[in-house]
């Protein structure tokens, strides 16, 4: 698999233009922007710069965050997702990664939050289909269920894909799924619906469950085994997207980080 750089990996030091130029310097052929850096650069300018650099946009992160405390909040989330679809289309992203949202503030009603997620996905799917943008549902580790995503397993994500149909897939992030005892079966079930494959590592001890990811090879995830599962299932995307949310790595020089990513890609991915 070739490498794609998720821009959050160097977010403290580089904007999107820097990331694009860094990918070119390090011969990294793919990029996956987050919407904040995309909007800061300007969508049209970013699209031109990415095209001129010859980069493949493996995904745009992120859509989702549907559950809200009231109808106005849910409507605002849907409108923001429609804008995200437009942005993904404009930059030629292979998918829009969907982080679907946690419990609304003050709520303990998990089934209701999951229903809001379903309703939101149904609401934006026609626009995604019309734009040719795949909604890549990303299950997050259950530790994030309260505040980031009520979609916790690959099996849940695939059940939603079965329900929603054309225009949906899954984003498989090893950080979030490596622990799942049903992973092999669900990856095989996913087959061609794997729209993105994200790699990083789970450090032991982990000092922060969101912002202490390791580079591949720094932790306990058997990334090679999961990559083999994904390829055997029929993933044809050809990219392993490196997504490192790390307060530690964010302090390093981004060119050093990209060089280290390339080295570790050879041994740990």
């Amino acid at each position: 698999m070739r490498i794609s750089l998720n821009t959050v990996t160097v977010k403290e030091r580089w904007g999107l233009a820097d990331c694009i130029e860094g990918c070119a310097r390090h011969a990294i052929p793919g990029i996956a922007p987050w919407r904040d850096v995309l909007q800061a650069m300007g969508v049209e300018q970013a699209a031109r710069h990415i095209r001129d650099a010859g980069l493949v946009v493996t995904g745009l992160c992120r859509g989702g965050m549907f559950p809200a405390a009231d109808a106005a909040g849910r409507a605002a989330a849907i409108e923001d997702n429609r804008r995200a679809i437009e942005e993904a289309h404009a930059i030629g992203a292979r998918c829009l990664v969907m982080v679907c949202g946690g419990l609304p503030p003050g709520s303990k009603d998990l089934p209701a939050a999951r229903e809001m997620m379903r309703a939101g996905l149904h609401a934006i799917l026609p626009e995604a289909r019309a734009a040719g943008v795949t909604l890549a549902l990303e299950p997050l580790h259950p530790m994030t269920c309260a505040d980031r995503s009520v979609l916790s397993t690959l099996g849940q994500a695939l059940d939603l894909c079965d329900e929603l149909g054309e225009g949906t897939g899954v984003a498989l992030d090893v950080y979030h799924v490596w622990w799942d005892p049903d992973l092999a079966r669900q990856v095989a079930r996913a087959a061609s619906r794997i729209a993105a494959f994200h790699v990083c590592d789970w450090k032991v001890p982990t000092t922060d469950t969101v912002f202490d990811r390791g580079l591949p090879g720094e932790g306990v995830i058997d990334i090679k085994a999961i990559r083999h599962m994904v390829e055997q299932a029929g993933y044809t995307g050809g990219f392993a997207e490196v997504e490192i949310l790390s307060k530690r790595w964010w302090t390093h020089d981004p060119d050093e980080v990209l060089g280290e990513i390339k080295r570790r890609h050879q041994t740990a991915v």
Side-chain angles (χ1 to χ4, degrees):
M1 285 188 188
R2 295 176 289 170
I3 306 172
S4 175
L5 175 69
N6 188 296
T7 62
V8 77
T9 301
V10 289
K11 81 179 192 75
E12 295 295 304
R13 305 284 290 276
W14 277 359
L16 182 51
D18 300 312
C19 291
I20 295 167
E21 292 159 12
C23 285
R25 275 197 307 279
H26 290 269
I28 293 174
I31 194 166
W34 278 53
R35 291 180 67 202
D36 56 348
V37 296
L38 177 64
Q39 292 165 358
M41 185 175 183
V43 176
E44 291 184 6
Q45 181 181 354
R48 288 195 300 271
H49 201 165
I50 290 168
R51 284 196 302 269
D52 290 346
L55 299 178
V56 174
V57 184
T58 55
L60 176 65
C61 195
R62 55 182 163 73
M65 296 298 176
F66 294 109
D70 55 32
R74 293 191 290 276
I78 289 169
E79 288 308 309
D80 185 59
N81 275 276
R82 287 174 173 150
R83 288 190 293 273
I85 290 167
E86 292 173 359
E87 293 164 4
H89 175 73
I91 64 172
R94 288 185 170 185
C95 64
L96 174 62
V97 176
M98 306 299 292
V99 176
C100 290
L103 294 171
S107 175
K108 296 183 180 181
D109 193 340
L110 183 55
R114 287 181 171 146
E115 182 55 36
M116 292 177 204
M117 171 186 67
R118 288 182 63 256
L121 289 167
H122 276 283
I124 66 169
L125 185 56
E127 284 90 344
R129 285 174 174 162
V133 172
T134 297
L135 301 180
L137 312 186
E138 182 177 15
L140 299 194
H141 194 286
M143 67 189 175
T144 72
C145 190
D147 60 345
R148 294 174 70 82
S149 182
V150 297
L151 185 65
S152 302
T153 68
L154 183 56
Q156 279 181 294
L158 290 170
D159 288 347
L160 271 171
C161 289
D162 288 343
E163 175 184 331
L164 292 161
E166 179 188 355
T168 62
V170 294
L172 194 155
D173 186 327
V174 298
Y175 190 78
H176 293 295
V177 303
W178 72 275
W179 59 272
D180 188 346
D182 199 31
L183 182 60
R185 188 173 71 88
Q186 295 298 338
V187 170
R189 174 188 169 198
S192 62
R193 292 179 291 185
I194 301 172
F197 178 54
H198 297 179
V199 298
C200 57
D201 219 332
W202 185 286
K203 292 172 54 192
V204 176
T206 291
T207 60
D208 186 309
T209 53
V210 177
F211 299 117
D212 192 33
R213 295 191 187 195
L215 292 181
E218 284 195 296
V220 298
I221 302 176
D222 191 344
I223 299 171
K224 286 185 176 181
I226 300 176
R227 170 187 171 171
H228 181 70
M229 289 181 200
V230 165
E231 290 177 329
Q232 288 294 108
Y235 172 62
T236 58
F239 281 89
E241 182 179 313
V242 181
E243 183 183 43
I244 313 295
L245 287 81
S246 169
K247 292 177 181 177
R248 177 173 56 98
W249 281 107
W250 286 336
T251 66
H252 288 243
D253 176 78
D255 276 304
E256 175 192 342
V257 176
L258 266 60
E260 187 64 22
I261 284 171
K262 289 199 71 177
R263 286 189 290 274
R264 289 177 178 273
H265 182 263
Q266 298 300 317
T267 58
V269 180

